[in-house]
Amino acid sequence: EPNKRLFGLVATITGARAGELTQLTKADVVEEAGHLCIDINDNGDKSIKNAASARLVPLTDGAMGFSLTEFREWVAALPSSDSLVFGMSRDTASQWFNREVLPQALPDRTGDLVLHSLRHTMATLFKNAGVAESLAGDVLGHSGQGITFGLYGKAKAVDQMANALAQALLTSNHSR
């Protein structure tokens, strides 16, 4: 199912929380500084964990098999600006990912690896790629010191976040 596959890919390449992704609407997929981004916000009936969770996250073409073209086409086909991008609740998306995707992707995984573990993986990829701690915190929507892998700073430009994601996702060694 395209919505589930795209959900899994976007979760993998952004480190966004399941609830953040499942609340995304067509209107939340935006162009900023020449990058296609997801706008994680609390507009309307949506909720976010804290103020730092509101952010634009650039999507990285080619990372982990993600296609910007395919995602753009998926979003463009949604009927209205308030249509949910993935059409699933947080619990449905998390349970599907944990039950169906992880056992196939990581057959030797331990039971404590879940969808939320992707956030930890993203922080580790950033750290290993030498990305500034504050910039990694901006992408992950962390609010304070020690949450990502050190000090959290002020929001950075979308260009910097896009470069950081590309650096972490496209140039790192993805051996398992």
Side-chain angles (χ1 to χ4, degrees):
E1 297 170 69
N3 66 319
K4 289 181 177 178
R5 187 172 51 72
L6 288 169
F7 169 85
L9 286 168
V10 173
T12 300
I13 67 165
T14 64
R17 297 171 182 94
E20 294 171 340
L21 294 178
T22 57
Q23 295 181 99
L24 288 175
T25 64
K26 182 176 184 173
D28 296 325
V29 179
V30 299
E31 292 278 342
E32 179 72 28
H35 301 282
L36 187 66
C37 303
I38 55 173
D39 181 2
I40 298 171
N41 61 67
D42 59 358
N43 298 340
D45 293 334
K46 295 181 272 183
S47 63
I48 53 177
K49 186 171 182 179
N50 56 49
S53 296
R55 63 203 187 277
L56 283 177
V57 181
L59 300 174
T60 306
D61 193 34
M64 312 285 185
F66 178 77
S67 166
L68 273 177
T69 300
E70 178 187 10
F71 187 71
R72 278 182 208 276
E73 290 171 358
W74 174 262
V75 172
L78 295 172
S80 67
S81 64
D82 61 349
S83 296
L84 293 175
V85 172
F86 302 111
M88 295 181 283
S89 70
R90 182 193 69 198
D91 291 345
T92 297
S94 292
Q95 290 168 6
W96 164 78
F97 193 89
N98 295 340
R99 185 180 60 245
E100 303 293 329
V101 176
L102 283 176
Q104 291 180 33
L106 302 169
D108 297 331
R109 78 182 175 103
T110 61
D112 61 345
L113 284 177
V114 294
L115 175 64
H116 191 78
S117 302
L118 294 174
R119 291 180 58 73
H120 299 271
T121 299
M122 183 60 70
T124 300
L125 288 171
F126 280 135
K127 185 174 183 178
N128 291 345
V131 172
E133 296 172 18
S134 62
L135 192 52
D138 289 342
V139 171
L140 293 170
H142 287 154
S143 62
Q145 291 185 30
I147 295 175
T148 307
F149 54 88
L151 182 63
Y152 172 80
K154 294 183 178 180
K156 303 295 186 273
V158 169
D159 279 335
Q160 288 178 301
M161 290 191 291
N163 290 338
L165 282 162
Q167 182 181 353
L169 294 168
L170 299 177
T171 63
S172 65
N173 180 0
H174 299 293
S175 63
R176 291 189 171 124

